Amino acid sequence: NAGVTQTPKFQVLKTGQSMTLQCAQDMNHNSMYWYRQDPGMGLRLIYYSASEGTTDKGEVPNGYNVSRLNKREFSLRLESAAPSQTSVYFCASSEAPSGFYEQYFGPGTRLTVT
Amino acid sequence: DAKTTQPNSMESNEEEPVHLPCNHSTISGTDYIHWYRQLPSQGPEYVIHGLTSNVNNRMASLAIAEDRKSSTLILHRATLRDAAVYYCILRGDMRFGAGTRLTVKP
């Protein structure tokens, strides 16, 4: 099992450019999440998908959109990148949204916006 | 802000036990307490979680106060590979604070 995979690993964008971060999990999990982590900080939830076909905003959703493409894949889109979106982005999954289940995290995408 | 409070940093000697505290005074009755750790340049890794009773697994033990307003992650014998940032979160909240940076000295 690969677990949670993310592409790309690194990306540099210019202000105003758009891009999509991809995430896939092979654990047959129902719930998936996108977080961002700024230097020296903890993770902040951007969006999550409790189950296929549903998405909900987290703590910091502004400037982002998400798509739950199918049960395996959950993508994060930046329509018009800003320097404030420079961060490390982590995708995670869990069997269900209930607190009974732990989250599994991907390796992260390091994004720099100049 | 995260609903949990942890010390910014702690130090331990190798092969000694480590007790990492977490306060969560506003915890609700249905909130599970989760612990994750993050090694440098990696994604967070699940460590342990619990609701009311103390929990043990191969990585650590979790001691939960009777009133559930605090918990303690216990690493029984710290190794150099345990040096990481440890996060205590309430799973229903899904907010990570800055965590506790654990340094393990040989």
Side-chain angles (χ1 to χ4, degrees), chain A residues 44-55:
Chain A
R44 291 185 292 170
L45 184 65
I46 305 171
Y47 270 95
Y48 67 100
S49 171
S51 61
E52 189 179 355
T54 70
T55 59

Side-chain angles (χ1 to χ4, degrees), chain B residues 4-66:
Chain B
T4 61
T5 305
Q6 300 176 252
N8 288 336
S9 62
M10 291 184 66
E11 281 190 355
S12 171
N13 294 318
E14 196 175 11
E15 298 190 3
E16 289 186 356
V18 182
H19 290 232
L20 297 166
C22 181
N23 287 321
H24 28 78
S25 58
T26 60
I27 190 170
S28 75
T30 57
D31 276 331
Y32 279 81
I33 302 156
H34 282 236
W35 283 82
Y36 294 81
R37 70 180 186 182
Q38 187 174 25
L39 279 65
S41 300
Q42 294 189 25
E45 172 190 30
Y46 168 77
V47 177
I48 199 167
H49 75 285
L51 184 62
T52 56
S53 305
N54 295 344
V55 185
N56 300 295
N57 67 19
R58 64 175 180 81
M59 289 182 72
S61 295
L62 177 59
I64 301 173
E66 200 169 328

Side-chain angles (χ1 to χ4, degrees), chain A residues 33 35 37 40-45 48 59 90 94 96-108 110, chain B residues 1-2 30 32 34 36 38 40-46 49 87 89 91-99 101:
Chain A
Y33 313 81
Y35 292 88
Q37 184 174 35
M41 307 280 286
L43 283 74
R44 291 185 292 170
L45 184 65
Y48 67 100
E59 188 183 353
F90 291 102
S94 65
S98 161
F100 182 75
Y101 300 101
E102 64 268 31
Q103 292 182 308
Y104 295 84
F105 286 81
R110 281 158 179 74
Chain B
D1 289 343
T30 57
Y32 279 81
H34 282 236
Y36 294 81
Q38 187 174 25
S41 300
Q42 294 189 25
E45 172 190 30
Y46 168 77
H49 75 285
Y87 298 100
I89 70 165
R91 181 72 167 85
D93 182 51
M94 291 189 285
R95 295 186 189 213
F96 286 69
R101 181 174 298 280

Side-chain angles (χ1 to χ4, degrees), chain A residues 22-100:
Chain A
Q22 306 286 355
C23 173
Q25 52 90 9
D26 63 2
M27 295 173 281
N28 201 35
H29 284 170
N30 289 298
S31 304
M32 297 185 73
Y33 313 81
W34 276 106
Y35 292 88
R36 61 177 285 176
Q37 184 174 35
D38 299 330
M41 307 280 286
L43 283 74
R44 291 185 292 170
L45 184 65
I46 305 171
Y47 270 95
Y48 67 100
S49 171
S51 61
E52 189 179 355
T54 70
T55 59
D56 285 287
K57 294 178 181 179
E59 188 183 353
V60 288
N62 291 345
Y64 306 95
N65 286 303
V66 291
S67 294
R68 183 74 183 268
L69 304 169
N70 48 55
K71 192 171 184 179
R72 288 187 65 246
E73 299 172 288
F74 189 37
S75 63
L76 178 72
R77 183 159 178 84
L78 287 70
E79 290 292 352
S80 179
S84 60
Q85 294 179 304
T86 293
S87 192
V88 181
Y89 291 84
F90 291 102
C91 177
S93 71
S94 65
E95 190 164 336
S98 161
F100 182 75

